[in-house]
Amino acid sequence: MMSEVAQDEEKWLGAGIAGLQQNAFYMHRALDSNNLRDALKYSAQMLSELRTSRLSPHKYYELYMRAFDELRKLEMFFKEETRRGCSIVDLYELVQHAGNILPRLYLLCTVGSVYIKSKEAPAKDVLKDLVEMCRGIQHPVRGLFLRSYLSQVSRDKLPDIGSEYEGDADTVVDAVEFVLQNFTEMNKLWVRMQHQGPAREKEKREKERSELRDLVGKNLHVLSQIEGVDLEMYKETVLPRVLEQVVNCKDELAQYYLMDCIIQVFPDEYHLQTLETLLGAYPQLQPSVDVKTVLSQLMERLSNYAASSAEALPEFLQVEAFAKLNNAIGKVIEAQVDMPVAGAVTLYSSLLTFTLHVHPDRLDYVDQVLGACVKKLSGKGKLEDSRATKQIVALLSAPLEKYNDIMTALKLSNYPRVMEYLDNGTNKVMAVVIIQSIMKNNTCVSTADKVEALFELIKGLIKDLDGTFDDELDEEDFKEEQNSVARLIQMLYSDDPEEMFKIICTVRKHILTGGPKRLPFTAPPLVFSALKLVRRLQGQDENVVGEEALATPKKIFQFLNQIIEALSTVPTPELALRLYLQCAEAANDSDLEPVAYEFFTQAYILYEEEISDSKAQVTAIHLIIGTLQRMHVFGVENRDTLTHKATGYSAKLLKKPDQCRAVYACSHLFWVDDQDSVKDGERVLLCLKRALRIANAAQQMTNATRGGSGSVTLFVEILNKYLYFFEKGNPQVNIAAIQGLIELITTEMQSDTSTQDPAADAFFASTLRYIQFQKQKGGVIGEKYEPIKV
Amino acid sequence: MNYLIGAFKPPCNISISFVDGRTRKQVPLKKENGQSMMVPLFQSQENIVGEVVIEPIQGKKVEHNGVKIELLGQIELYFDRGNFYDFTSLVRELDVPGELYERKTYPFEFSTVEMPYESYNGVNVRLRYILKVTISRNYVGNIVEYQDFVVRNYTPLPSINNSIKMEVGIEDCLHIEFEYGKSKYHLKDVIIGKIYFLLVRIKIKNMELEIRRRESTGSGPNTYVETETLAKFELMDGAPVRGESIPIRLFLSPYELTPTYRNINNKFSVKYYLNLVLVDEEDRRYFKQQEITVYRLLETS
C-alpha cells in the first residue's frame, strides 16, 4: 500500500515535471522572441504545476527546484525587458493580472527582485509589498516554498547597512522587519502543517514537516547575516520577536528546532549578552519540548566560547552567566513537571560542564550544581531510569576529568550525596570511574580523612549494598571491580608513617565490611602495603621508641595477623598461608622472632587444618620450605620445631614423586649457606637418602602398576642435589655416593624395561656435562670433581 | 461596406467622413458578424462635423427625392429583434430632389449633440450610434449608407467614495470581515482590500474574487437578466486560520468592463458586482456579492 502511494506520487511528479517542461519550452520560445505577453502566459502556466497538492514535500521540492531554475531565466528576461524600455512599474502590475494566485505571486517576487535592482523604488517598499502579498498562500507547503523563494531572491537585496540598497535612514530596520515577518509567517505555516489531513497520517506528516524545517530556519540564518544586526538591535528587536514567535507557536517540533537554530546561528557573544531574555523563554516552551538538549547545547557553546578566548571570560562574570543559567534551569525544571529525571540531570550535567569550563576556580559553583541536583533527586529514592543514571555518571565524571584530581571531588560535599541516588550497579560503575581517574592521574591519596571520604564514595565496590543479589553479579565483572579496588589500595600512600598507619587502619575498617567474596582481592594489597610500611620503619631504626609511637612494627604485625585471620575464615587458606609466610619473612627482617614464629604457627595450622587438596599441599609445602629456609631469626629450638614439622609434612604427601621432591627440598633446611649455625650435613644426607628411597619406591610402584620401570627423572634430580651439597662442602656427601647414584641411573636407563623419557635423558646428559665442565675448570673445584668417573 | 455592389449594383457610392477623422481617436467596435472594426470615438455634446460624398457609378445618373443625413441613437433589444428604439434622432437635409450625374460632396454638421448614453454591446441589448445617409427614390428602394461611431462619456472623480466593509458569516462556522477600499472604481482602477478571518471552522480550499456583470433588459414581467462573470481572480490558496488577513489587489484594466449603466432610457441597466467566493474542500461555495459602481474616468493626461 505504501509503495502504491509512492508509485502514484512518482507518477504525479512525472506529470508535473512534464507539464512544467512543456510550458517552460514555450516560455523560452517567447523569451527568445521577446514576446512579453506569451512569456507571462506560459510562465504562469508553468508555475501552475506548483499548485499541486498531491506531492509530499520531498517531491514538491524537486518540482520547485525546476521551477526555480526557470524563474532565473525569466528574471534575466525581465531585466533585459526593462533595459529595452519597458517600465518596471508596468511590469510589476502586469504580472499581477494572472488569475491564479500561486503563479501570480511567484512572478511578482521575480519581478520584485528586478524592481529592487532597478532602484526605481526603495527596496524596503517592494519587500514590504511582497511579503504582504504572500499572505495569499495559506497552504502550508506551497506557502513555505513560495516564501522560501521570496527569501531566496531577496537575500542579496536587503537594505542592509553597507548594501547598495540601503536607503536614507535606518533602512536596516526595514530589512530586519522584512525577514522577521517572513520568518513569522513561514513558521505559522509550518506549525499549521500538522493539522492538515487525516489524523492517522500524523506521524508521516511530522516527518515531512521535519524535512521542511530548514526552510524556516534559513530566515534566522539570513537575520544573522545582516550586517546591521548589531548587539543592540539583536537585543531590542530580533531576539524578542523571534522568541515571541517561538513561544507563541506552541509547537513542540518548531520550538525545539528554532531554539536550537537561534543558538547555532547567532554569535555566542550575543547569547551571552542576552542570556536573560533567551533563558526566559525556556520555561515557557511546551512541556514536551526537549529543553534539556537545547539548553545543553547553549551551555556547550558558551563553554566553548569561554574556552576559545581569554577575553570572553570577564564577560561571563559580568553577566553572571552562571547564576542566570542555574536559575533558568531551576525554572525549566519547575515548569516542566513531567520532565523525566534524566532530563533534569542532563541539564545539571551540562551546567556543570559549563561551570567547569568557565569557572574552573569556583568549586562552590560545582558544589552548588550538585546540590541542586541532589535536591531534584531527593525523595525519589534510587534511580531506576537507566538514562538518568547514565547522565548522573556523566555529571559525576565531569569534575574528575576536569580537575584530574580526586581530591577536588572529595572536597565537594554534595558529591557523595548525588552518588547515593544511583542504583547499586551504576554506583559501582561510578566507583570504577573514580578509581580509574585516580589511576590515570597517579593521584596519591595521602591522608586518612581523604581515604575515609574516598571509600565512602566507592563503597559500592567495597561492600554489599542493600538489595544486591549475589547471583546477579557477573563473575568477571566482579573480579575486574575488585582488582581495581586492589589497585586503588596501592595508591594510598603517605610519607608519614603515622599517617600511613592511619590510612591502613581506615582501609582495613572498610575492607573488612566487604565480606568473604571481596577479601581475597582486597586483603593482599593491604597486607603488602602494611609490609611496605614495616620495611620503611626498619630503615628508620628504633629511634622513635621513646615516644608513644602508633606505628611500630609490632603493632603492624598484630594488625596484619588480624587481617589474615579474617582472610583465613573466608576461607582462602592458600592465600592466607602465603600472606602469613610473607609476614613471617617481614618479621624475620625486623628481628621479631616470636612474631615470625607466630606467623609460621598460623601457617602450619592452616596447612594442617584447611589445606586438604594434595596439589595445594605440594605448593604450600614448597612455599613453607622456601620461606623457612631463609629465616635467620629463629633460635635453634624454634627452628628445629619448624623444620621438623616441615619435613614431616613433606613425607606425608600423597604422591610418591611429590614426597620425594618435598623431602629433598627439605634438605636445604639443614644447610643454609650463609648461616654457619645451620649446617647439619648429616641430616642433609638423611633427607637425600630418604628421598632416594622414596624415588626407588616410586620406581617400583610404576613397575608394579604399569610394567616397565618409571622415569629416572627423580634420580637425576636427587643427583643434582647431591652435586649441590657436594660443591658446598657438605662432608657427608662424598664421591662414592655420587658415583653410586650415577651408576644407578645409567643402569636404570640401559635396562630394557625402562620407558623412554627424552626429557629425563637430556636432563641426565646435561648433569653429566656439568660434572665434566666442573672437572675441566681445574683449581679447587676441578680437583674436587676429578675423582668422579662418568 | 458596400457588399451589395456586386448583387444589385447600386448606382452610386456613398461615403461618410469626419473632418477630424485623421486625428480623432478610433476605437474597435464589434460588428454583428463578430469582426471588429475601428470607428471614431465621440462624447456627448461634441460637434459632429463631416461630409458625405456621393459618387454615381460611371455613366449612370441617380434620380432622387432628396438626400438626408440622420444621427441616430438606437437601443436594440435582441429578444425584440429588429425593433430599434431611437432615443436620439437628428436630421439634416443635404439635397433637394433632383438628379445626380457626378460626384457631389455635402458637408454636414451636428452641433453639441446630446449623447447621454454610451455605446454598449451587451448580451441582450445593444446601444449604438450611427450616421445614416438616405437617398430617397421613387419606385426603387432608397439608397442607404451607415457610419457607426462610438460614444463614451467621462465622469470626474467622485467626491464621495466610501469603502465597502462588511462582516458576514455562518454561525459557528465561518466569520469573515472584508473590506474593499472604495465603492466606486474607474475602469483602470485597482481594487485594494483585505479579508479578515474571524472564525474558521470549515476547511477552506481557496478563495476568489469574481467580477460579475448583471445586464437587465426590459421592464415589468418582460425583464431579462443576464449575469456574466468577467473575472475570476484567486485571492487565497489553502486554508487560513483565525486571525489571518488576506490582501486583495485586483487590477481592473485587463477586463473588458464598461461603466455602470443605471436605467438607460427605461430600457436596460448594467451593474457590476464583486463576488467574494470561498470554496471548501467539498467544493461547496460560500459567497457574498457586493455592488460596485464602475465609471469612466476622464483621462487627464
Side-chain angles (χ1 to χ4, degrees):
Chain A
M1 152 119 188
M2 273 315 285
S3 68
E4 217 170 275
V5 171
Q7 257 176 19
D8 280 353
E9 233 194 287
E10 209 57 55
K11 215 168 65 198
W12 289 322
L13 175 63
I17 291 173
L20 191 137
Q21 280 172 338
Q22 190 187 357
N23 284 306
F25 170 76
Y26 287 122
M27 182 185 89
H28 291 163
R29 238 173 34 181
L31 298 185
D32 291 343
S33 53
N34 290 333
N35 186 336
L36 180 61
R37 271 182 73 91
D38 278 2
L40 291 179
K41 180 178 147 195
Y42 288 116
S43 57
Q45 279 180 18
M46 174 187 82
L47 290 164
S48 287
E49 295 296 342
L50 288 174
R51 298 175 70 208
T52 178
S53 298
R54 287 166 152 177
L55 299 177
S56 69
H58 194 71
K59 303 273 185 230
Y60 191 84
Y61 176 73
E62 210 169 300
L63 200 58
Y64 164 83
M65 281 318 290
R66 284 168 191 267
F68 184 87
D69 291 342
E70 298 301 337
L71 284 173
R72 296 274 63 74
K73 292 172 195 154
L74 192 62
E75 189 183 336
M76 294 299 294
F77 171 73
F78 285 148
K79 231 178 277 171
E80 281 164 27
E81 198 68 7
T82 55
R83 223 169 287 145
R84 277 194 290 269
C86 178
S87 146
I88 183 70
V89 184
D90 287 350
L91 212 49
Y92 196 68
E93 184 193 318
L94 210 52
V95 293
Q96 293 186 67
H97 294 172
N100 284 320
I101 184 157
L102 193 68
R104 178 165 77 235
L105 292 178
Y106 271 105
L107 290 174
L108 191 64
C109 291
T110 313
V111 177
S113 159
V114 180
Y115 198 178
I116 297 173
K117 269 196 189 147
S118 76
K119 295 184 191 153
E120 280 184 36
K124 64 166 187 174
D125 292 348
V126 180
L127 289 175
K128 195 165 179 201
D129 188 52
L130 291 175
V131 80
E132 265 306 309
M133 290 314 283
C134 282
R135 280 174 185 276
I137 306 297
Q138 294 287 323
H139 184 276
V141 175
R142 294 195 282 272
L144 276 172
F145 277 97
L146 172 69
R147 284 184 180 274
S148 156
Y149 178 71
L150 172 60
S151 161
Q152 189 76 24
V153 296
S154 64
R155 263 186 95 161
D156 52 346
K157 301 176 188 73
L158 297 175
D160 188 9
I161 285 178
S163 141
E164 56 176 317
Y165 306 104
E166 188 186 2
D168 11 304
D170 268 351
T171 50
V172 64
V173 177
D174 300 304
V176 169
E177 192 58 36
F178 165 75
V179 182
L180 277 174
Q181 197 180 342
N182 205 29
F183 162 72
T184 308
E185 293 300 325
M186 280 177 90
N187 191 43
K188 281 202 251 175
L189 290 171
W190 187 45
V191 169
R192 205 188 293 165
M193 213 182 127
Q194 63 187 301
H195 306 300
Q196 307 269 324
R200 64 194 146 82
E201 285 173 17
K202 185 158 171 88
E203 202 175 316
K204 180 173 155 241
R205 268 203 309 280
E206 286 296 279
K207 193 174 147 276
E208 290 174 350
R209 206 152 81 82
S210 178
E211 286 170 5
L212 291 177
R213 60 186 191 173
D214 287 345
L215 295 183
V216 184
K218 199 83 162 269
N219 286 298
L220 293 180
H221 188 240
V222 172
L223 272 177
S224 75
Q225 305 272 294
I226 295 179
E227 199 71 20
V229 177
D230 52 6
L231 180 59
E232 187 68 17
M233 180 173 280
Y234 178 74
K235 205 172 184 171
E236 299 300 325
T237 316
V238 177
L239 185 65
R241 287 276 302 277
V242 173
L243 283 181
E244 184 193 354
Q245 176 58 31
V246 172
V247 169
N248 288 343
C249 78
K250 294 198 181 358
D251 175 69
E252 180 191 345
L253 189 62
Q255 289 185 335
Y256 175 74
Y257 172 70
L258 292 175
M259 286 311 274
D260 191 38
C261 238
I262 294 174
I263 293 170
Q264 303 299 340
V265 298
F266 292 107
D268 298 322
E269 189 199 339
Y270 287 11
H271 295 319
L272 196 56
Q273 295 299 332
T274 56
L275 209 48
E276 202 149 9
T277 322
L278 186 60
L279 292 174
Y282 284 97
Q284 299 175 58
L285 301 181
Q286 295 302 97
S288 50
V289 175
D290 185 9
V291 175
K292 62 171 192 307
T293 313
V294 194
L295 205 47
S296 303
Q297 249 147 16
L298 173 64
M299 287 187 274
E300 196 181 314
R301 271 195 67 138
L302 289 179
S303 307
N304 292 343
Y305 176 52
S308 68
S309 73
E311 294 115 65
L313 277 176
E315 280 181 52
F316 280 90
L317 298 176
Q318 189 201 329
V319 300
E320 293 174 327
F322 173 78
K324 281 177 187 164
L325 283 170
N326 196 10
N327 201 3
I329 288 173
K331 277 193 188 139
V332 165
I333 290 174
E334 211 171 285
Q336 298 204 344
V337 188
D338 298 333
M339 185 197 262
V341 182
V345 179
T346 314
L347 281 178
Y348 283 121
S349 167
S350 308
L351 178 59
L352 191 70
T353 319
F354 168 79
T355 312
L356 291 173
H357 270 95
V358 182
H359 306 291
D361 50 334
R362 295 296 295 266
L363 262 185
D364 57 328
Y365 282 172
V366 177
D367 206 32
Q368 215 173 316
V369 176
L370 291 173
C373 193
V374 169
K375 214 167 108 197
K376 171 73 191 165
L377 292 171
S378 65
K380 292 238 163 76
K382 298 262 183 205
L383 286 170
E384 305 292 335
D385 179 5
S386 65
R387 275 175 51 231
T389 45
K390 216 176 190 172
Q391 282 305 326
I392 293 199
V393 171
L395 175 80
L396 292 172
S397 308
L400 295 183
E401 276 161 30
K402 173 69 186 176
Y403 293 115
N404 277 336
D405 181 9
I406 186 69
M407 291 310 119
T408 320
L410 292 179
K411 273 184 219 149
L412 300 168
S413 64
N414 284 310
Y415 199 93
R417 290 172 64 196
V418 175
M419 275 194 81
E420 266 167 40
Y421 291 99
L422 291 171
D423 64 49
N424 296 333
T426 324
N427 211 321
K428 280 187 199 161
V429 172
M430 196 55 230
V432 172
V433 170
I434 293 173
I435 293 174
Q436 276 164 355
S437 152
I438 295 176
M439 295 297 160
K440 205 173 82 195
N441 302 303
N442 252 327
T443 317
C444 188
V445 184
S446 59
T447 70
D449 293 348
K450 285 180 188 165
V451 172
E452 177 74 39
L454 179 62
F455 273 79
E456 193 57 38
L457 280 186
I458 61 166
K459 65 184 173 200
L461 294 178
I462 301 303
K463 60 180 176 192
D464 288 328
L465 296 165
D466 315 325
T468 321
F469 303 105
D470 286 347
D471 50 319
E472 279 177 21
L473 291 168
D474 181 33
E475 200 58 38
E476 233 162 83
D477 286 353
F478 180 76
K479 274 187 190 159
E480 189 70 29
E481 285 162 20
Q482 295 307 317
N483 280 335
S484 59
V485 175
R487 291 169 70 195
L488 173 67
I489 293 174
Q490 306 278 17
M491 297 300 292
L492 311 176
Y493 178 80
S494 167
D495 283 331
D496 177 17
E498 299 290 317
E499 194 61 47
M500 186 64 205
F501 187 62
K502 272 193 215 153
I503 291 175
I504 290 171
C505 288
T506 314
V507 174
R508 183 187 61 162
K509 189 180 85 197
H510 283 283
I511 66 168
L512 282 183
T513 59
K517 287 198 73 174
R518 290 185 181 77
L519 268 180
F521 293 95
T522 48
L526 183 60
V527 168
F528 282 103
S529 184
L531 289 176
K532 244 191 254 170
L533 180 58
V534 170
R535 295 193 197 279
R536 198 137 48 97
L537 287 170
Q538 280 163 24
Q540 291 173 346
D541 306 328
E542 267 77 74
N543 53 4
V544 282
V545 174
E547 299 167 37
E548 260 310 288
L550 265 172
T552 59
K554 239 182 210 161
K555 280 227 168 93
I556 297 170
F557 282 122
Q558 277 166 17
F559 165 88
L560 284 169
N561 205 359
Q562 286 163 13
I563 298 177
I564 305 172
E565 213 171 83
L567 195 56
S568 63
T569 58
V570 167
T572 47
E574 291 95 334
L575 182 61
L577 183 120
R578 279 163 199 260
L579 293 176
Y580 275 134
L581 293 177
Q582 283 288 347
C583 291
E585 214 177 332
N588 175 57
D589 294 344
S590 310
D591 286 330
L592 294 167
E593 182 179 358
V595 177
Y597 190 79
E598 172 64 20
F599 281 124
F600 257 97
T601 320
Q602 294 291 351
Y604 280 14
I605 293 172
L606 275 181
Y607 180 82
E608 285 173 11
E609 291 176 358
E610 306 286 347
I611 302 179
S612 47
D613 179 60
S614 60
K615 255 192 196 147
Q617 281 181 342
V618 173
T619 322
I621 199 72
H622 279 283
L623 284 169
I624 290 175
I625 295 167
T627 317
L628 189 53
Q629 198 263 347
R630 261 176 295 162
M631 294 304 226
H632 52 74
V633 72
F634 290 130
V636 181
E637 204 171 316
N638 278 342
R639 194 177 169 90
D640 262 4
T641 322
L642 293 174
T643 41
H644 185 73
K645 269 282 180 200
T647 328
Y649 293 150
S650 308
K652 275 182 210 130
L653 288 171
L654 180 65
K655 288 197 256 172
K656 289 287 175 195
D658 289 341
Q659 268 181 25
C660 172
R661 286 187 177 111
V663 168
Y664 70 63
C666 280
S667 64
H668 287 287
L669 292 178
F670 304 106
W671 191 277
V672 179
D673 219 23
D674 50 1
Q675 238 175 305
D676 288 340
S677 58
V678 194
K679 277 203 168 107
D680 187 344
E682 215 162 313
R683 290 179 76 174
V684 169
L685 192 65
L686 227 58
C687 277
L688 294 179
K689 280 191 174 154
R690 199 164 165 190
L692 263 179
R693 265 205 307 282
I694 299 170
N696 248 326
Q699 184 89 346
Q700 272 155 26
M701 222 157 75
T702 328
N703 260 331
T705 49
R706 306 229 173 90
S709 55
S711 161
V712 294
T713 319
L714 282 174
F715 293 111
V716 184
E717 284 169 19
I718 296 168
L719 172 62
N720 274 284
K721 288 291 161 197
Y722 268 95
L723 286 174
Y724 170 79
F725 287 110
F726 175 68
E727 215 166 281
K728 294 292 177 194
N730 188 334
Q732 304 297 323
V733 181
N734 51 31
I735 306 267
I738 294 170
Q739 195 71 52
L741 195 50
I742 293 174
E743 269 157 31
L744 171 71
I745 294 168
T746 323
T747 340
E748 277 291 333
M749 280 170 71
Q750 283 161 355
S751 80
D752 305 332
T753 51
S754 74
T755 41
Q756 288 300 316
D757 183 353
D761 293 352
F763 190 15
F764 183 56
S766 63
T767 309
L768 293 181
R769 246 197 333 273
Y770 175 75
I771 297 170
Q772 288 292 6
F773 175 70
Q774 293 295 64
K775 271 187 186 178
Q776 285 158 15
K777 245 186 187 169
V780 189
I781 302 251
E783 268 171 41
K784 217 172 176 182
Y785 272 91
E786 196 46 53
I788 302 175
K789 290 191 200 88
V790 185
Chain B
M1 193 157 48
N2 298 326
Y3 48 86
L4 292 175
I5 287 173
F8 296 99
K9 297 213 171 154
C12 61
N13 285 329
I14 306 171
S15 68
I16 306 164
S17 61
F18 300 93
V19 282
D20 49 2
R22 288 185 166 220
T23 52
R24 182 163 290 277
K25 192 176 172 188
Q26 301 246 318
V27 293
L29 178 72
K30 223 177 219 166
K31 292 196 296 181
E32 282 149 32
N33 61 9
Q35 286 176 339
S36 278
M37 61 184 228
M38 297 304 281
V39 294
L41 174 70
F42 289 91
Q43 54 178 310
S44 189
Q45 306 219 309
E46 270 195 295
N47 297 330
I48 301 175
V49 186
E51 51 185 33
V52 176
V53 178
I54 300 173
E55 192 174 13
I57 288 169
Q58 206 67 39
K60 287 199 174 176
K61 68 166 188 178
V62 181
E63 264 180 90
H64 61 87
N65 288 339
V67 178
K68 65 177 177 181
I69 182 163
E70 291 167 286
L71 187 156
L72 298 173
Q74 293 182 327
I75 293 173
E76 183 182 349
L77 297 164
Y78 294 156
F79 54 84
D80 197 8
R81 191 95 193 150
N83 203 357
F84 302 142
Y85 176 79
D86 294 349
F87 57 89
T88 292
S89 176
L90 299 169
V91 189
R92 297 282 182 272
E93 294 290 344
L94 297 181
D95 206 351
V96 293
E99 286 174 346
L100 283 169
Y101 299 99
E102 56 191 359
R103 174 190 162 101
K104 194 163 181 192
T105 304
Y106 305 99
F108 67 89
E109 177 172 357
F110 299 97
S111 320
T112 52
V113 190
E114 272 306 331
M115 293 178 289
Y117 310 132
E118 288 199 347
S119 304
Y120 174 69
N121 220 337
V123 183
N124 284 326
V125 63
R126 180 161 71 156
L127 190 152
R128 67 193 287 226
Y129 286 93
I130 41 173
L131 285 170
K132 180 179 175 189
V133 175
T134 312
I135 302 173
S136 319
R137 294 195 290 177
N138 291 327
Y139 318 119
V140 282
N142 295 343
I143 300 169
V144 182
E145 178 60 39
Y146 300 98
Q147 168 67 52
D148 282 87
F149 66 94
V150 167
V151 172
R152 287 178 182 171
N153 289 324
Y154 301 94
T155 322
L157 273 173
S159 55
I160 301 170
N161 198 348
N162 293 324
S163 66
I164 302 175
K165 200 170 180 178
M166 190 172 235
E167 194 184 320
V168 289
I170 310 161
E171 207 178 334
D172 291 333
C173 207
L174 178 70
H175 277 268
I176 62 170
E177 189 183 293
F178 60 81
E179 183 179 351
Y180 306 124
K182 298 187 262 188
S183 50
K184 297 171 184 165
Y185 296 92
H186 61 79
L187 294 172
K188 306 283 180 223
D189 219 341
V190 193
I191 300 175
I192 304 280
K194 244 183 180 12
I195 299 127
Y196 302 97
F197 285 84
L198 303 172
L199 176 79
V200 191
R201 293 239 175 96
I202 51 173
K203 291 188 169 170
I204 297 172
K205 197 164 72 180
N206 66 352
M207 174 169 71
E208 54 195 25
L209 192 62
E210 293 176 343
I211 302 175
R212 313 185 93 198
R213 170 154 68 197
R214 212 166 85 132
E215 177 189 289
S216 62
T217 45
S219 57
N222 292 328
T223 308
Y224 293 80
V225 177
E226 200 67 50
T227 309
E228 284 173 275
T229 302
L230 301 178
K232 272 191 180 205
F233 189 74
E234 197 181 12
L235 289 178
M236 183 183 76
D237 170 25
V241 292
R242 213 176 78 159
E244 287 291 350
S245 75
I246 308 298
I248 305 171
R249 184 188 294 155
L250 170 56
F251 291 91
L252 295 179
S253 55
Y255 307 107
E256 288 179 6
L257 305 185
T258 67
T260 299
Y261 301 134
R262 286 183 211 285
N263 196 15
I264 299 301
N265 217 253
N266 280 327
K267 286 286 183 276
F268 74 99
S269 297
V270 175
K271 289 179 177 176
Y272 287 91
Y273 295 88
L274 288 179
N275 193 24
L276 184 69
V277 187
L278 288 133
V279 186
D280 73 7
E281 286 189 342
E282 270 96 54
D283 282 328
R284 280 189 290 256
R285 295 163 72 83
Y286 309 83
F287 57 88
K288 180 71 192 172
Q289 194 159 291
Q290 290 282 304
E291 192 187 345
I292 52 167
T293 305
V294 182
Y295 63 96
R296 192 185 301 281
L297 182 68
L298 190 63
E299 283 159 45
T300 45
S301 59

